[in-house]
Amino acid sequence: MTTLRVTRHGTLLAAALTATLLAVNAPPPPAARADSGPGVPADSKPPVKIDANDPGLKMRAGAELAPGRVLDIKSVVETDNGDERREDTNVNVTFALQAEVLFAKDSARLSGEANARIRTIADEIKKQKATSLRVFGFTDNLGSAAHGLVLSKQRADAVQRQLAQDLGSSSVSYQIRGYGEAYPIADNSTEDGRKKNRRVEVSFPRSKS
């Protein structure tokens, strides 16, 4: 046990040492993720080998270097009215389109405006040379959970069919899911939040080049 000597600055000294001890004993941060909802973890392997014996590290005697990690960096761009959002991470690109710009209320039939929006996503998929796509549908928490699951899957299916038509490639594989009210990205207690949660997300790997 470490004994602390209290001086006239004892309170500040004790607080600083306590914070240091907590930081040293704290568990490691969780692995970076490619997104906050369903998907796969980001690749957190270090890009270069780190030499633990490098004198430039200036580590104290007996200290060991923890495994290196690459933090997942996310860039988010959203339209002014929030009806479309694009997220770029180290490994994935994700487009989220609000249901209102794709479908009529409680419908899974694509509107004319939806076709143009999906075509833009298809162009980016071609640019990234992606061959594995995830198309996930989501709803708000109004109505029954069972109905939300069915509707979200039907909407994901509709977007996938249009994407397949725009891409025109048999080499592209799809994961299609309907998650209903799970994985909200906004507060379901407000209409603005529920509107953001009623969405279809299309995600795919970034090009390595």
Side-chain angles (χ1 to χ4, degrees), residues 1 48 60 62 71-72 83 106 148 192 197:
M1 176 181 295
V48 295
R60 68 169 182 262
L71 296 179
D72 194 32
D83 62 3
D106 205 31
D192 284 344
N197 291 332

Side-chain angles (χ1 to χ4, degrees), residues 29-35 40-44 69-73 90-91:
R33 290 193 62 81
D35 48 53
V40 296
D43 183 358
S44 59
R69 292 193 308 120
V70 175
L71 296 179
D72 194 32
I73 300 174
N90 298 0
V91 292

Side-chain angles (χ1 to χ4, degrees), residues 66-174:
R69 292 193 308 120
V70 175
L71 296 179
D72 194 32
I73 300 174
K74 179 184 290 187
S75 168
V76 180
V77 178
E78 190 174 80
T79 56
D80 289 339
N81 57 7
D83 62 3
E84 184 173 337
R85 189 181 77 255
R86 172 174 173 159
E87 295 182 3
D88 287 83
T89 72
N90 298 0
V91 292
N92 282 335
V93 178
T94 301
F95 285 89
L97 299 177
Q98 287 183 10
E100 278 75 359
V101 303
L102 298 174
F103 310 97
K105 184 178 180 180
D106 205 31
S107 170
R109 178 175 295 180
L110 291 171
S111 66
E113 182 182 358
N115 293 334
R117 304 257 184 165
I118 295 171
R119 194 173 303 116
T120 298
I121 298 176
D123 290 342
E124 183 65 20
I125 293 169
K126 293 175 182 177
K127 178 181 176 182
Q128 298 290 343
K129 299 181 175 62
T131 57
S132 177
L133 310 181
R134 297 196 299 265
V135 186
F136 296 158
F138 306 85
T139 63
D140 58 28
N141 64 349
L142 298 182
S144 73
H147 177 69
L149 283 172
V150 172
L151 181 61
S152 61
K153 176 60 163 57
Q154 291 174 338
R155 287 176 166 177
D157 285 337
V159 171
Q160 183 273 330
R161 287 193 296 268
Q162 185 60 45
L163 273 174
Q165 181 177 323
D166 291 340
L167 292 172
S169 173
S170 59
S171 64
V172 178
S173 62
Y174 299 87

